Amino acid sequence: MSLLTELPHNRTLIDASLWSADLGALTAELERIGPHADLFHIDASDTTFTPDAIFFPDMVRALRPRTTVPFHVHLMAHHPARLAAAFADAGADLITVHAEAEGAQAAIERIHAGGQAAGLALTLDSAPEHVEDLLETTDAVTMVGTPLGTKGTGMAPEAVERMRAIRHILDRRGADIPLLADGGIRQHTVPDLVAAGATGVVAGSLLFG
Protein backbone atom coordinates (compact mmCIF):
# COMPACT_ATOMS: atom_id res chain seq x y z
CA MET A 1 0.00 0.00 0.00
CA SER A 2 2.99 2.31 0.46
CA LEU A 3 3.20 3.04 -3.27
CA LEU A 4 -0.33 4.46 -3.35
CA THR A 5 -0.08 6.41 -0.12
CA GLU A 6 2.91 8.24 -1.60
CA LEU A 7 0.89 9.51 -4.58
CA PRO A 8 -0.28 13.16 -4.52
CA HIS A 9 -3.52 13.82 -2.64
CA ASN A 10 -3.95 17.48 -3.57
CA ARG A 11 -4.80 17.03 -7.26
CA THR A 12 -6.25 14.58 -9.76
CA LEU A 13 -3.93 11.65 -10.39
CA ILE A 14 -2.75 10.96 -13.94
CA ASP A 15 -2.61 7.26 -14.85
CA ALA A 16 -1.09 7.50 -18.35
CA SER A 17 -2.35 4.75 -20.65
CA LEU A 18 0.47 3.32 -22.77
CA TRP A 19 -2.08 1.77 -25.15
CA SER A 20 -2.45 5.27 -26.63
CA ALA A 21 1.30 5.87 -26.86
CA ASP A 22 3.43 5.42 -29.96
CA LEU A 23 3.96 1.67 -29.58
CA GLY A 24 6.97 1.80 -31.88
CA ALA A 25 8.77 4.27 -29.65
CA LEU A 26 7.74 3.35 -26.13
CA THR A 27 11.02 4.30 -24.47
CA ALA A 28 10.78 7.79 -25.93
CA GLU A 29 7.13 8.01 -24.86
CA LEU A 30 8.03 7.03 -21.30
CA GLU A 31 10.63 9.78 -21.21
CA ARG A 32 8.28 12.35 -22.77
CA ILE A 33 5.24 11.69 -20.59
CA GLY A 34 6.99 10.52 -17.42
CA PRO A 35 7.27 14.01 -15.86
CA HIS A 36 3.49 14.40 -16.15
CA ALA A 37 2.41 10.90 -15.02
CA ASP A 38 1.78 9.54 -11.54
CA LEU A 39 1.38 6.02 -12.95
CA PHE A 40 1.78 4.33 -16.30
CA HIS A 41 -1.35 2.34 -17.12
CA ILE A 42 -0.66 -0.97 -18.89
CA ASP A 43 -3.62 -2.89 -20.29
CA ALA A 44 -3.30 -6.67 -20.46
CA SER A 45 -5.70 -9.46 -21.38
CA ASP A 46 -5.98 -13.23 -21.49
CA THR A 47 -7.50 -12.73 -25.01
CA THR A 48 -10.87 -14.16 -23.89
CA PHE A 49 -11.99 -11.56 -21.32
CA THR A 50 -11.16 -9.10 -24.10
CA PRO A 51 -9.89 -10.22 -27.52
CA ASP A 52 -6.56 -8.35 -27.74
CA ALA A 53 -3.53 -9.36 -25.68
CA ILE A 54 -2.23 -5.75 -25.73
CA PHE A 55 0.76 -5.73 -23.32
CA PHE A 56 2.44 -8.84 -21.93
CA PRO A 57 4.89 -9.53 -19.07
CA ASP A 58 8.12 -9.57 -21.12
CA MET A 59 7.28 -6.15 -22.54
CA VAL A 60 6.72 -4.79 -19.02
CA ARG A 61 10.05 -6.31 -17.97
CA ALA A 62 11.79 -4.59 -20.88
CA LEU A 63 10.20 -1.21 -20.09
CA ARG A 64 10.71 -1.31 -16.32
CA PRO A 65 14.32 0.00 -16.33
CA ARG A 66 13.31 2.90 -18.62
CA THR A 67 11.37 4.90 -16.03
CA THR A 68 10.88 5.30 -12.29
CA VAL A 69 7.15 6.01 -12.67
CA PRO A 70 5.13 3.14 -11.11
CA PHE A 71 3.45 0.65 -13.46
CA HIS A 72 -0.29 -0.04 -13.08
CA VAL A 73 -1.26 -3.23 -14.90
CA HIS A 74 -5.00 -3.46 -15.65
CA LEU A 75 -5.46 -7.20 -15.99
CA MET A 76 -8.53 -8.24 -17.97
CA ALA A 77 -8.62 -11.99 -17.39
CA HIS A 78 -11.15 -14.62 -16.35
CA HIS A 79 -8.62 -16.38 -14.08
CA PRO A 80 -6.18 -13.59 -13.18
CA ALA A 81 -3.95 -15.13 -10.49
CA ARG A 82 -1.32 -16.72 -12.74
CA LEU A 83 -1.03 -13.70 -15.05
CA ALA A 84 -0.94 -11.39 -12.04
CA ALA A 85 2.08 -13.25 -10.69
CA ALA A 86 3.83 -12.99 -14.07
CA PHE A 87 3.27 -9.24 -14.25
CA ALA A 88 4.41 -8.82 -10.66
CA ASP A 89 7.65 -10.63 -11.50
CA ALA A 90 8.03 -8.37 -14.54
CA GLY A 91 7.96 -5.21 -12.45
CA ALA A 92 4.34 -4.12 -12.01
CA ASP A 93 3.70 -2.02 -8.90
CA LEU A 94 -0.12 -2.01 -8.88
CA ILE A 95 -2.10 -4.84 -10.47
CA THR A 96 -5.84 -4.42 -10.97
CA VAL A 97 -8.11 -7.42 -11.51
CA HIS A 98 -11.80 -7.46 -12.36
CA ALA A 99 -14.56 -8.01 -9.85
CA GLU A 100 -16.24 -10.13 -12.54
CA ALA A 101 -13.31 -12.56 -12.76
CA GLU A 102 -13.33 -16.00 -11.16
CA GLY A 103 -10.81 -16.16 -8.37
CA ALA A 104 -10.45 -12.39 -7.99
CA GLN A 105 -9.86 -12.76 -4.25
CA ALA A 106 -7.16 -15.39 -4.82
CA ALA A 107 -5.48 -13.11 -7.33
CA ILE A 108 -5.52 -10.17 -4.89
CA GLU A 109 -3.98 -12.37 -2.20
CA ARG A 110 -1.27 -13.50 -4.60
CA ILE A 111 -0.54 -9.91 -5.61
CA HIS A 112 -0.20 -8.84 -1.99
CA ALA A 113 2.01 -11.82 -1.23
CA GLY A 114 4.45 -10.53 -3.84
CA GLY A 115 4.54 -7.10 -2.25
CA GLN A 116 2.49 -5.30 -4.91
CA ALA A 117 -0.63 -3.20 -4.47
CA ALA A 118 -3.88 -4.79 -5.69
CA GLY A 119 -6.70 -2.96 -7.42
CA LEU A 120 -10.26 -3.87 -8.36
CA ALA A 121 -11.97 -2.89 -11.62
CA LEU A 122 -15.67 -2.80 -12.50
CA THR A 123 -17.09 -3.00 -16.03
CA LEU A 124 -20.21 -1.17 -17.15
CA ASP A 125 -22.22 -4.36 -16.65
CA SER A 126 -21.42 -4.68 -12.94
CA ALA A 127 -23.42 -2.96 -10.23
CA PRO A 128 -21.34 -0.47 -8.21
CA GLU A 129 -22.22 -2.48 -5.09
CA HIS A 130 -19.95 -5.31 -6.32
CA VAL A 131 -16.98 -3.26 -5.16
CA GLU A 132 -17.94 -4.03 -1.56
CA ASP A 133 -17.27 -7.76 -1.91
CA LEU A 134 -13.50 -7.28 -2.04
CA LEU A 135 -13.11 -3.78 -0.63
CA GLU A 136 -11.31 -4.80 2.55
CA THR A 137 -8.39 -6.21 0.53
CA THR A 138 -8.40 -3.64 -2.28
CA ASP A 139 -5.86 -0.82 -2.55
CA ALA A 140 -7.49 1.05 -5.46
CA VAL A 141 -10.68 0.94 -7.54
CA THR A 142 -10.97 1.53 -11.28
CA MET A 143 -14.35 2.26 -12.83
CA VAL A 144 -14.45 1.44 -16.54
CA GLY A 145 -16.72 3.90 -18.34
CA THR A 146 -16.61 2.42 -21.85
CA PRO A 147 -17.09 -1.08 -23.31
CA LEU A 148 -14.11 -3.11 -22.12
CA GLY A 149 -11.18 -3.52 -24.49
CA THR A 150 -12.07 -0.56 -26.73
CA LYS A 151 -9.98 2.51 -27.47
CA GLY A 152 -11.19 5.95 -28.56
CA THR A 153 -14.76 5.22 -27.43
CA GLY A 154 -16.96 7.91 -25.88
CA MET A 155 -17.84 7.62 -22.21
CA ALA A 156 -21.12 5.86 -21.43
CA PRO A 157 -23.93 8.20 -20.27
CA GLU A 158 -24.27 6.33 -16.98
CA ALA A 159 -20.57 6.56 -16.08
CA VAL A 160 -20.82 9.70 -13.94
CA GLU A 161 -23.66 8.31 -11.83
CA ARG A 162 -21.78 5.04 -11.42
CA MET A 163 -18.75 6.98 -10.24
CA ARG A 164 -20.89 8.84 -7.75
CA ALA A 165 -22.33 5.55 -6.45
CA ILE A 166 -18.89 4.00 -5.99
CA ARG A 167 -17.62 7.13 -4.24
CA HIS A 168 -20.58 6.89 -1.83
CA ILE A 169 -19.69 3.27 -1.05
CA LEU A 170 -16.03 4.06 -0.43
CA ASP A 171 -16.89 7.01 1.81
CA ARG A 172 -19.47 4.99 3.75
CA ARG A 173 -16.91 2.24 4.32
CA GLY A 174 -14.16 4.69 5.20
CA ALA A 175 -11.99 3.44 2.33
CA ASP A 176 -9.45 6.18 1.62
CA ILE A 177 -8.08 4.65 -1.59
CA PRO A 178 -7.62 5.95 -5.15
CA LEU A 179 -10.72 5.85 -7.36
CA LEU A 180 -9.76 5.94 -11.02
CA ALA A 181 -11.93 6.62 -14.06
CA ASP A 182 -10.93 4.61 -17.13
CA GLY A 183 -12.42 5.12 -20.60
CA GLY A 184 -13.78 8.12 -22.44
CA ILE A 185 -11.42 10.52 -20.69
CA ARG A 186 -11.74 13.84 -22.51
CA GLN A 187 -11.40 17.49 -21.51
CA HIS A 188 -15.18 17.78 -21.11
CA THR A 189 -15.63 14.50 -19.15
CA VAL A 190 -12.86 14.91 -16.56
CA PRO A 191 -14.55 17.70 -14.54
CA ASP A 192 -17.78 15.70 -14.19
CA LEU A 193 -15.95 12.54 -13.15
CA VAL A 194 -13.86 14.39 -10.58
CA ALA A 195 -16.96 16.14 -9.23
CA ALA A 196 -18.58 12.71 -8.88
CA GLY A 197 -15.69 11.43 -6.79
CA ALA A 198 -12.87 10.26 -9.04
CA THR A 199 -9.42 10.95 -7.61
CA GLY A 200 -7.60 10.02 -10.83
CA VAL A 201 -8.13 9.42 -14.54
CA VAL A 202 -6.65 6.92 -16.98
CA ALA A 203 -5.58 9.36 -19.68
CA GLY A 204 -4.84 7.96 -23.13
CA SER A 205 -5.35 10.02 -26.25
CA LEU A 206 -6.01 13.11 -24.11
CA LEU A 207 -2.43 12.90 -22.87
CA PHE A 208 -0.52 11.28 -25.72
CA GLY A 209 -2.36 13.02 -28.56
Side-chain angles (χ1 to χ4, degrees):
M1 186 65 179
S2 59
L3 158 73
L4 300 180
T5 58
E6 293 171 0
L7 294 176
H9 287 77
N10 60 345
R11 60 168 174 78
T12 302
L13 298 174
I14 302 299
D15 191 2
S17 177
L18 291 181
W19 196 11
S20 294
D22 180 350
L23 299 180
L26 281 174
T27 295
E29 291 285 66
L30 292 177
E31 294 173 353
R32 180 171 71 94
I33 300 298
H36 313 289
D38 299 297
L39 301 160
F40 276 121
H41 190 92
I42 298 172
D43 288 297
S45 170
D46 61 3
T47 72
T48 57
F49 202 90
T50 59
D52 296 323
I54 319 176
F55 289 91
F56 49 93
D58 280 349
M59 182 174 286
V60 171
R61 183 174 288 106
L63 293 174
R64 181 65 282 176
R66 310 296 182 179
T67 180
T68 59
V69 175
F71 283 172
H72 174 196
V73 172
H74 177 188
L75 186 52
M76 295 167 280
H78 286 293
H79 303 280
R82 183 182 62 82
L83 271 175
F87 277 105
D89 290 341
D93 300 284
L94 165 63
I95 302 174
T96 288
V97 300
H98 271 268
E100 303 85 6
E102 294 182 33
Q105 179 64 66
I108 288 173
E109 292 172 0
R110 192 161 184 176
I111 293 165
H112 282 153
Q116 286 75 31
L120 188 69
L122 291 177
T123 68
L124 284 170
D125 297 327
S126 292
E129 290 74 21
H130 286 177
V131 75
E132 295 201 64
D133 297 339
L134 298 171
L135 193 54
E136 290 185 4
T137 54
T138 296
D139 300 315
V141 173
T142 299
M143 187 209 75
V144 181
T146 56
L148 201 63
T150 61
K151 183 169 64 170
T153 307
M155 189 177 72
E158 66 269 28
V160 172
E161 281 306 314
R162 287 172 55 79
M163 179 63 72
R164 188 170 288 112
I166 295 172
R167 167 50 59 197
H168 176 72
I169 292 168
L170 297 185
D171 289 347
R172 175 168 51 80
R173 294 285 297 272
D176 184 18
I177 59 177
L179 175 55
L180 305 173
D182 184 3
I185 302 303
R186 306 288 186 270
Q187 285 186 334
H188 67 280
T189 62
V190 170
D192 289 340
L193 289 165
V194 171
T199 59
V201 294
V202 179
S205 58
L206 179 62
L207 184 61
F208 286 95

